[in-house]
Amino acid sequence: MKIYFYNTLTKTKEEFKPIEENQVRIYTCGPTVYKDASIGNMKSYIFMDNLRRVLKYNGYTLKHAMNITDVGHLVSDGDEGEDKMVKAAEEEKKTPLEIAEFYTEKFLTDFDRLNIDRPEIICKATDHIKEMEEFVQKLLDNGYAYETSTAIYFDVSKLDEYGLLSGIDLRNQKAGARVEVDKEKRNPYDFALWIKAPENHIMKWESPWGLCYPGWHIECSTMSNKYLGEVFFIHSGGIDLVPTHHENEIAQSKGCTRKNSSKILDAL
Amino acid sequence: MHCEFLLIDGGKMSKSLGNTYLVQDIIDKGYEPLAFKMMCFTAHYRNKLNFTWDALESSQNSLNRLREGYKKHSEGNEKIDDSIIEEYKNRFLEAINDDLNMPVAMSVIWDVVKNPNKSKRLAELLLDFDKVLGIDIQKSEGKKELELPQEIKTLIEQRKKARENKDWTLSDKIRDELKEKGYIVKDTKEGMKIEKI
């Protein structure tokens, strides 16, 4: 029997035609493990479980990756504010690693309590710092990113179609319409890929651009690319992730693969 | 594909309102986490869902009724036509393959449960549908239906008598013995409750 799924990008229900005959590759944005997951968060993973089970019921095998964000997700969801992990670590007087382990464990306990089928691959951002750095380098090489005194930014003007997923129209965005922290940004919607760490920042890594930590969005493009390949079929998550996180993920993946408008668009 | 928000009592969930509920809170209030999963199936994933404790209560009741319905079918011996099974199957598959339309899929499940002809084949069908739901449909409802070995039943009877005679020492001794054998006894207002460890 045919399967139909709603595509956030085209805003229509479309017939599901997987890239491979029997296998479906899925990426789900997992939790930022700095506090307990609420039942509101769990609604989204019950949906993920539902998707997995329906595909399996239809006879597909799954290759499904879900990330655990343990660095880089800032309080504002944008490029401003403290890292959520660091803030929680300070408040609970633990290390960010302890915070991450504690809440990851609790998160997966809730999965079991709700009979949520676990994705085949569960990957942590901090285990992929090197790969993220390479991804950023590739974006610089491909001309989609630039360096400022505080960060490496993605240049959204280099894409024809930034904003398609959430319906942002760049032509109607005036510079300074949003709160600007970094005056060196070329476009208001440019977002940080790699952030130069202030001296007192706990989580930071050596990189060609000095001691840095990754932006929130780069981990998902890096890990989905590593585990699922350049083009995968279903990307799922909570609706709140559409305007910033998923929009930026698409941008990064396009910039890296130079597939500006092709298959990647089908992947949502 | 993106999943819509959960509302709490018709509004947003927020720390300041103290309504950021966790799965643990559901357990602490005496409900099963799976009752919350049942509740999620009452709305399409692309719609907002409103959480209230009353709604959770009714989802828990639905879950219990569903399991009772499964049990009744599993004990039944009536004949069911292949065509009826096929029809249920097709309707269920059509619903889940239509962008995961769980409210419609659930209505098919209720039709199966409510079928007056109690048949093992319908129980098997429900078990098959539970592959998609993951709500432990074969789990017997409540602790009262826990299958106990004869040895344990005898101990429980002895403990009941000891308590009637207010022989607390013996009652506690039997409680410890039960614990060693893997059963926890709880004394509640409704009487003694047994749980397997």
Side-chain angles (χ1 to χ4, degrees):
Chain A
M1 198 182 275
K2 284 180 183 173
I3 307 179
Y4 295 87
F5 289 139
Y6 183 84
N7 183 337
T8 311
L9 194 63
T10 60
K11 298 178 178 56
T12 49
K13 250 191 251 180
E14 292 173 1
E15 192 186 332
F16 171 69
K17 289 178 188 152
I19 302 161
E20 299 109 321
E21 206 176 320
N22 296 314
Q23 196 193 48
V24 189
R25 283 172 287 151
I26 311 171
Y27 188 83
T28 298
C29 280
T32 303
V33 281
Y34 70 108
K35 65 171 185 186
D36 283 314
S38 71
I39 55 172
N41 301 127
M42 282 301 149
K43 179 182 187 275
S44 170
Y45 298 105
I46 288 172
F47 153 67
M48 175 199 90
D49 172 69
N50 208 207
L51 175 65
R52 285 181 58 82
R53 288 168 179 270
V54 165
L55 288 166
K56 279 184 173 177
Y57 193 78
N58 279 278
Y60 290 105
T61 56
L62 306 180
K63 190 171 185 189
H64 183 182
M66 180 183 78
N67 67 300
I68 300 278
T69 298
D70 54 0
V71 66
H73 190 174
L74 305 189
V75 173
S76 66
D77 277 4
D79 295 334
E80 301 109 43
E82 259 184 284
D83 187 308
K84 290 184 179 187
M85 296 301 304
V86 174
K87 190 163 180 262
E90 282 165 2
E91 280 166 10
E92 296 192 29
K93 302 204 175 2
K94 290 178 182 165
T95 65
L97 184 71
E98 285 166 342
I99 292 283
E101 276 178 4
F102 180 73
Y103 288 109
T104 303
E105 185 65 37
K106 287 186 89 175
F107 179 77
L108 293 174
T109 302
D110 280 352
F111 264 34
D112 293 345
R113 287 162 160 181
L114 289 162
N115 277 349
I116 292 174
D117 204 20
R118 289 192 192 187
E120 285 69 27
I121 301 154
I122 295 179
C123 38
K124 277 162 44 185
T126 50
D127 286 341
H128 298 80
I129 299 289
K130 196 75 204 156
E131 282 115 323
M132 287 191 236
E133 183 194 305
E134 286 161 14
F135 203 107
V136 172
Q137 185 60 58
K138 206 161 178 188
L139 288 172
L140 281 165
D141 294 346
N142 289 355
Y144 287 89
Y146 59 93
E147 185 177 357
T148 73
S149 59
T150 57
I152 313 285
Y153 280 105
F154 189 94
D155 186 343
V156 298
S157 70
K158 292 283 157 62
L159 292 175
D160 300 338
E161 300 136 324
Y162 181 82
L164 268 188
L165 185 69
S166 51
I168 304 165
D169 186 352
L170 287 187
R171 280 162 301 186
N172 292 330
Q173 299 295 331
K174 293 187 190 93
R178 290 170 89 217
V179 184
E180 282 303 304
V181 168
D182 193 340
K183 293 268 182 279
E184 298 169 72
K185 265 166 83 166
R186 290 179 191 165
N187 312 290
Y189 273 89
D190 288 354
F191 56 90
L193 298 164
W194 203 249
I195 302 158
K196 297 182 182 174
E199 215 165 294
N200 57 357
H201 199 86
I202 318 175
M203 300 176 92
K204 52 192 167 190
W205 289 266
E206 273 301 344
S207 78
W209 313 282
L211 282 169
C212 291
Y213 62 96
W216 175 31
H217 321 294
I218 195 73
E219 61 171 279
C220 288
S221 291
T222 304
M223 292 190 276
S224 60
N225 188 62
K226 174 176 175 180
Y227 293 107
L228 306 174
E230 284 179 4
V231 179
F232 50 97
F233 206 84
I234 300 172
H235 193 310
S236 82
I239 192 95
D240 52 322
L241 296 176
V242 171
T244 316
H245 187 56
H246 288 173
E247 198 73 78
N248 293 346
E249 257 183 73
I250 301 175
Q252 289 167 162
S253 298
K254 282 190 199 169
C256 176
T257 58
R258 291 175 181 269
K259 287 178 183 165
N260 204 351
S261 64
S262 65
K263 277 305 262 183
I264 287 174
L265 288 182
D266 298 340
L268 272 134
Chain B
M1 296 175 79
H2 290 90
C3 179
E4 260 291 352
F5 284 120
L6 182 73
L7 301 174
I8 306 289
D9 298 321
K12 268 193 112 172
M13 186 186 271
S14 84
K15 223 178 179 178
S16 57
L17 292 170
N19 62 5
T20 312
Y21 300 127
L22 314 180
V23 174
Q24 187 61 49
D25 295 324
I26 289 177
I27 296 171
D28 291 346
K29 290 215 178 200
Y31 300 103
E32 281 179 72
L34 292 178
F36 177 64
K37 200 175 192 184
M38 274 288 279
M39 187 197 267
C40 289
F41 297 150
T42 62
H44 191 270
Y45 76 88
R46 280 193 283 121
N47 290 332
K48 292 186 178 74
L49 175 70
N50 188 28
F51 177 92
T52 63
W53 288 105
D54 284 347
L56 188 68
E57 169 90 33
S58 75
S59 291
Q60 179 71 61
N61 291 338
S62 300
L63 182 58
N64 296 349
R65 279 207 312 280
L66 207 59
R67 288 171 178 165
E68 277 164 34
Y70 165 79
K71 196 161 176 267
K72 277 187 187 146
H73 278 308
S74 69
E75 289 160 355
N77 282 313
E78 288 185 58
K79 276 191 110 178
I80 294 285
D81 260 10
D82 285 349
S83 62
I84 290 174
I85 302 265
E86 269 317 291
E87 196 218 313
Y88 284 140
K89 266 198 140 159
N90 282 334
R91 281 172 55 205
F92 182 77
L93 197 60
E94 207 175 313
I96 60 172
N97 286 0
D98 178 20
D99 195 28
L100 315 177
N101 197 334
M102 294 314 285
V104 173
M106 287 312 290
S107 73
V108 180
I109 289 190
W110 286 114
D111 285 350
V112 178
V113 168
K114 287 174 185 160
N115 190 316
N117 299 317
K118 300 303 165 201
S119 155
K120 288 191 177 55
R121 291 191 69 194
L122 292 179
E124 275 164 31
L125 188 66
L126 287 171
L127 209 54
D128 182 54
F129 291 166
D130 193 34
K131 285 182 200 156
V132 173
L133 308 177
I135 50 168
D136 294 349
I137 207 164
Q138 79 288 11
K139 189 175 153 191
S140 54
E141 188 241 326
K143 277 133 201 160
K144 59 182 184 290
E145 290 173 26
L146 185 71
E147 282 288 325
L148 298 171
Q150 192 52 49
E151 177 199 19
I152 303 296
K153 278 186 193 162
T154 315
L155 280 171
I156 290 165
E157 278 312 308
Q158 286 171 359
R159 185 164 181 273
K160 259 188 200 158
K161 276 200 189 113
R163 289 178 69 80
E164 275 163 22
N165 299 333
K166 301 201 188 306
D167 186 348
W168 310 121
T169 323
L170 180 61
S171 158
D172 287 352
K173 201 180 143 233
I174 300 175
R175 186 195 58 203
D176 293 342
E177 200 177 328
L178 281 165
K179 199 175 173 188
E180 260 172 48
K181 295 186 190 297
Y183 292 86
I184 286 184
V185 187
K186 280 183 190 157
D187 299 304
T188 69
K189 269 185 262 168
E190 293 88 38
M192 216 188 282
K193 287 195 171 170
I194 313 293
E195 272 175 38
K196 204 163 194 288
I197 302 171

